[in-house]
Amino acid sequence: MKQEYATSQPPFAADYAQSLVWEQHCCLPLDPDTRVDELWRYAQAGASFVSVNVGYAPHGISDTIQVLSAFRRHVLLNPDRYVMAATADDVRRAKDTGRLAVAFDLEDANPLGGRIDTVQTYYELGVRTMLLTYNQRNLAGSGCHDASDGGLTEFGREIVAEMNRVGMVVDATHCSYRTSMDIFAASTAPVVLSHSAVRAIHDHERNVWDDQIQACADTGGVVGINGVGIFLGDNDTSTEALVRHIDHAVDLVGWEHVGLGLDFCFAADDVNDELTLNPDLFPSSYDQWDRIEFIEPERLPAIATALSDRAYSPEAIRGILGENFLRVAQAVWR
């Protein structure tokens, strides 16, 4: 796999160096003692922004705040490397100064503790994106792996309205079909599918159908193509597999609504542990492989090369690499 990107000298190389590269979702181990500097791999690969998960469905307020506080402290105590991204201009400043802008995201509404007012608190601590349901039903709505799809609940609608008010990006990834479509209809701001792959290419329940992608784009949002092998294909993490999903989404809604949300997990062994610890969240399709594979940060230049080889324009490549998500941040973040 390393040979695929380590030896390439892309024709887009000069443009890549000037591009603002944006990773909309990655995962560190959700432990306050995690070595956060693993994130620097994104900067070394040319990225200027990364959104880091700080909590998901099994976590309540206490666990989430502990992780968020530890990650946030590390970013703030290392200003030579990191910029805490409160605004879109902070991301541009990170790019201009060779640093990595960092914001946080939540995968599920459970870390809210059943309260709307915690949305504002998380926003003030650096959470800029939240998806409402993680695979299974919660107080906000149904997940993509639920047997029945009840859609967005009234509490879920209140969450969307509050996220719109405070400037947090609403995310429909991991949600059920009906919940996602309800979210697109309810939000008054652009909605994203932060790390989703295309179901028309690979029929996995975690992936999204064409009309979901279209509805996301209709809000002014962006679909970030996921880099997890079991969603791209049969645990296929080739650059070609990823670009097939990008191509389909671009053909459907235009390059202006497509980005990258690789969902890279810095501790892949933790993923298999989560499958064991939380079997209700993951159907059997997740554990048919000995190890789930991920597209790593170092692949970003090769992705740009692959898009250039397919005759994407420099403008389109810059949009997909990061400017499309930057546009959403500019529109939504306060």
Side-chain angles (χ1 to χ4, degrees):
M1 192 69 70
K2 289 183 179 179
Q3 188 175 5
E4 182 177 359
Y5 59 79
T7 62
S8 63
Q9 294 296 325
F12 188 72
D15 287 315
Y16 180 80
Q18 300 302 314
S19 298
L20 193 154
V21 181
W22 182 294
E23 163 67 290
Q24 180 54 35
H25 179 74
C26 75
C27 298
L28 289 165
L30 293 172
D31 184 319
D33 295 323
T34 288
R35 187 164 176 259
V36 179
D37 251 347
E38 287 291 311
L39 293 176
W40 193 244
R41 287 174 58 184
Y42 275 100
Q44 291 174 316
S48 296
F49 173 86
V50 62
S51 181
V52 185
N53 176 246
V54 290
Y56 87 123
H59 301 134
I61 293 176
S62 177
D63 290 339
T64 305
I65 290 295
Q66 287 183 54
V67 170
L68 171 56
S69 298
F71 290 7
R72 177 182 170 84
R73 182 174 186 270
H74 181 88
V75 170
L76 292 173
L77 289 180
N78 290 277
D80 292 340
R81 283 194 166 189
Y82 303 111
V83 174
M84 194 74 240
T87 68
D89 283 344
D90 289 333
V91 182
R92 296 187 183 96
R93 181 161 55 89
K95 171 65 179 175
D96 291 343
T97 56
R99 292 179 289 170
L100 183 66
V102 178
F104 304 119
D105 62 67
L106 293 173
E107 290 190 284
D108 203 77
N110 280 348
L112 298 181
R115 298 187 60 88
I116 296 297
D117 48 17
T118 48
V119 172
Q120 178 83 55
T121 300
Y122 280 121
Y123 185 83
E124 292 174 357
L125 291 173
V127 174
R128 288 295 179 270
T129 310
M130 181 175 68
L131 61 88
L132 272 70
T133 67
Y134 185 92
N135 293 354
Q136 303 289 352
R137 186 187 318 278
N138 63 17
L139 293 176
S142 298
C144 63
H145 292 310
D146 279 328
S148 62
D149 188 351
L152 194 65
T153 66
E154 184 56 37
F155 181 61
R157 294 179 191 280
E158 292 176 8
I159 294 173
V160 170
E162 180 68 357
M163 292 175 72
N164 289 165
R165 186 189 72 82
V166 305
M168 189 182 292
V169 176
V170 180
D171 186 358
T173 301
H174 284 279
C175 297
S176 69
Y177 174 86
R178 182 179 163 193
T179 298
S180 72
M181 298 302 268
D182 288 346
I183 289 170
F184 300 135
S187 180
T188 58
V191 177
V192 301
L193 289 159
S194 64
H195 55 291
S196 294
V198 177
R199 196 160 180 178
I201 299 293
H202 184 63
D203 190 6
H204 192 288
E205 292 173 341
R206 244 289 275 128
N207 293 346
V208 289
W209 294 112
D210 285 1
D211 59 344
Q212 292 172 281
I213 296 171
Q214 184 66 65
C216 175
D218 288 346
T219 72
V222 175
V223 53
I225 301 300
N226 192 300
V228 181
I230 63 172
F231 305 140
L232 294 176
D234 291 331
N235 213 14
D236 183 357
T237 54
S238 65
T239 302
E240 177 65 30
L242 178 80
V243 174
R244 280 198 298 271
H245 289 255
I246 292 175
D247 284 343
H248 183 93
V250 169
D251 288 345
L252 188 67
V253 295
W255 61 261
E256 298 89 345
H257 299 286
V258 181
L260 299 175
L262 296 181
D263 198 8
F264 179 69
C265 181
F266 284 92
D269 290 341
D270 284 4
V271 175
N272 295 315
D273 290 342
E274 288 296 318
L275 300 182
T276 301
L277 292 171
N278 298 290
D280 292 343
L281 289 174
F282 306 98
S284 59
S285 61
Y286 284 71
D287 56 18
Q288 63 179 296
W289 312 97
D290 291 336
R291 177 185 175 89
I292 295 175
E293 299 293 338
F294 299 84
I295 290 180
E296 66 282 7
E298 292 78 8
R299 195 85 63 83
L300 287 165
I303 294 168
T305 300
L307 296 175
S308 180
D309 289 345
R310 282 164 171 74
Y312 279 80
S313 70
E315 181 185 21
I317 298 173
R318 289 193 299 271
I320 293 167
L321 290 178
E323 290 182 5
N324 293 336
F325 272 123
L326 179 67
R327 182 190 72 244
V328 171
Q330 185 76 56
V332 179
W333 295 359
R334 298 284 184 256

